[in-house]
Amino acid sequence: MAHTDTEVLQPLQSIQSRRAFCVRTCQALSLLTVGAVLEACGGGSGSPTAPSGLAAQALPVINATAASNNVSLTIDSSSPLSAVGSAALVQTSAGSFLVAHVAQDSFTALTAICTHLTCFITGYANQTFVCPCHGSEFSTNGAVVRGPAVAPLRQYATQFANGVLTVTI
Ligand code: FES
């Protein structure tokens, strides 16, 4: 018995639409799973919030060059580090550093890699660096203010002269 085109095509279209449904459903479930994992890891979007309730602001990012084990930064009035109390994430080819302007002509520089599980520290609130992953907090000299981290952040020597901050790495 001969089948018409419509009789043949309808089951095919039905199979294709079921396949498309399955593909879409699987994609949606994958995205939900990724979102849940990111949320569980604390890697979701938005400002990092520390367990202490500090509403950390994202640190401003400064790009700088590293040469001969030194990172040099010009601190002028337009720099995110110009004011006492400010802080920034300084990115270089030799790594990323947390720099804080702690007093007139005085700065501290720390590694930006958290000592808990090596996340990049990107938040800052009330003179405290805040890790976005599990909320560890560090003072501007690297001491642990709040866990889960237990080890301090490595600190680097700094010099400030003629408007130029030099970090020895
Ligand atoms: S990696 Fe866990 S608090 Fe920073």
Side-chain angles (χ1 to χ4, degrees):
M1 185 167 87
H3 293 284
T4 66
D5 284 352
T6 313
E7 285 172 329
V8 173
L9 284 176
Q10 274 180 342
L12 271 177
Q13 286 168 342
S14 171
I15 289 167
Q16 283 172 343
S17 66
R18 260 182 277 152
R19 250 191 217 142
F21 172 78
C22 287
V23 167
R24 279 196 303 270
T25 305
C26 287
Q27 285 171 342
L29 284 174
S30 305
L31 288 175
L32 280 174
T33 305
V34 168
V37 169
L38 281 176
E39 197 60 39
C41 292
S45 60
S47 298
T49 303
S52 62
L54 285 178
Q57 299 295 310
L59 284 161
V61 176
I62 298 174
N63 291 310
T65 50
S68 305
N69 295 332
N70 284 329
V71 173
S72 295
L73 286 176
T74 300
I75 312 289
D76 57 18
S77 59
S78 67
S79 169
L81 285 167
S82 63
V84 173
S86 62
L89 177 65
V90 177
Q91 294 183 328
T92 77
S93 58
S96 296
F97 305 92
L98 303 170
V99 175
H101 192 164
V102 291
Q104 184 71 31
D105 296 342
S106 179
F107 295 80
T108 58
L110 310 165
T111 176
I113 299 173
C114 183
T115 55
H116 177 227
L117 292 176
T118 69
C119 281
F120 267 109
I121 296 169
T122 56
Y124 189 64
N126 298 342
Q127 318 289 307
T128 303
F129 292 108
V130 181
C131 180
C133 288
H134 313 101
S136 288
E137 298 172 17
F138 301 89
S139 70
T140 52
N141 65 12
V144 176
V145 173
R146 187 179 186 92
V150 292
L153 299 176
R154 180 177 175 190
Q155 187 168 5
Y156 299 91
T158 60
Q159 273 189 319
F160 185 66
N162 303 319
V164 176
L165 173 66
T166 304
V167 180
T168 304
I169 57 175

